[in-house]
Amino acid sequence: MGKPTVHDIAREAGVSLATVDRVLNARPGVRAQTVARVREAVERLGYVRDTYAANLARQKQYRFAFVLPEGPNQFLDTFRTALGEATQAQAADRLTARVLTAPAHDPHAVVRLLNDLPTGRLDGVAIMTPETPQVRDAVSRLKSAGLPIVALVSDLPNSERDHFVGINSYQAGRTAGLLMGRFIREVTGAVLVVTQSMQARDSIERRLGFDHVMGEQFNGLSILPSVETHGDPVRMARILAQAFRANPGIRGVYSMGPGNAALLDALRPTGRLGELAVVAHELTPTTRQALIDREIDAVINQNVGHLVRSALRVLRAKCDGAEIFAAQERIRIDIVLRENLP
């Protein structure tokens, strides 16, 4: 027996093809009893909808916006490249994705951008930004307009976002803590923690996981307060110099966010890069070369291609009312060392 069709559903439910189409596409104008009868027929027949064919027949488009931080950032450069490649590969599916940027450390600019999005000309939005009350309100307005929302890399768990695409940052922080303690190989000393902003959810969760492991397994090491650079290389150099003057016992540096080029530039004049244990996030040209040069000991990475493809799959599934397969969308935490560079 061949696969069941919409004609089989209409015959089984005793309704017209037009009614089946309205029910399958969740359009109004069908009585609740009729909707139930059509859905029961779908279940009995084991009908699986060919979303691609249905969208092609309706000339459906997927128009997505990706809201990202602006400014020089190698991780984001890699992300944009991967997004361009993914959308080009899905052009036949009538999928487009435009990138919009706002200053990473100006929440008001982010909110203005989100509030100005042309909701009538979009089918979904992916957002990479710290969570603030204003951002949560903006997400709520986008949801009220009927748009699915995906949080990228840094979660927005208290908002109405539909899905988060990124690694488990608490587990990533724990991983960094274990690596740091093993690399230092000393009972005492201090560890410096650097990030762009502690407003970002991923930095908060990474610091929490890092502190938990250090306290559990390496409690002789002193973990210094997080240093925020706000993406400013001059500030990075100044505060690192101050930190090393104030804490000559620093044995390791954990970089929780982007800005690793500025971090390395600030550490090189100290002459201690070879002896410090350094753990960073995201495999970029800078961190790759630093691994080769033995300036960084380990990089905790998330596959950017997987991030992009997962975000697009989730947004499409939300548009189509389709199921999201959690195992497929789970982003893996990778540990990259000099010895296993891809």
Side-chain angles (χ1 to χ4, degrees), residues 105-128:
H105 307 295
D106 185 348
H108 300 292
V110 174
V111 170
R112 284 195 298 271
L113 191 157
L114 293 175
N115 288 341
D116 289 342
L117 287 175
T119 55
R121 299 197 298 275
L122 288 174
D123 300 296
V125 182
I127 304 173
M128 189 187 301

Side-chain angles (χ1 to χ4, degrees), residues 68-81:
L68 307 178
E70 68 180 23
N73 184 312
Q74 290 183 352
F75 172 73
L76 290 176
D77 291 343
T78 306
F79 187 94
R80 290 188 189 95
T81 299

Side-chain angles (χ1 to χ4, degrees), residues 314-336:
V314 169
L315 287 171
R316 287 187 59 169
K318 288 296 179 181
C319 288
D320 295 334
E323 183 180 358
I324 295 172
F325 298 100
Q328 183 182 28
E329 310 311 342
R330 187 174 297 117
I331 308 299
R332 187 179 64 192
I333 297 172
D334 293 325
I335 301 172
V336 184

Side-chain angles (χ1 to χ4, degrees), residues 270-290:
T270 68
R272 297 189 55 198
L273 263 180
E275 64 185 66
L276 287 170
V278 180
V279 177
H281 281 265
E282 314 309 348
L283 188 62
T284 66
T286 290
T287 54
R288 171 185 288 275
Q289 189 60 48

Side-chain angles (χ1 to χ4, degrees), residues 55-56 59-63 90-96:
N55 289 342
L56 190 64
Q59 293 292 290
K60 180 176 176 60
Q61 291 181 304
Y62 299 98
R63 302 161 299 177
Q90 298 183 51
D93 296 342
R94 300 174 64 83
L95 184 150
T96 60

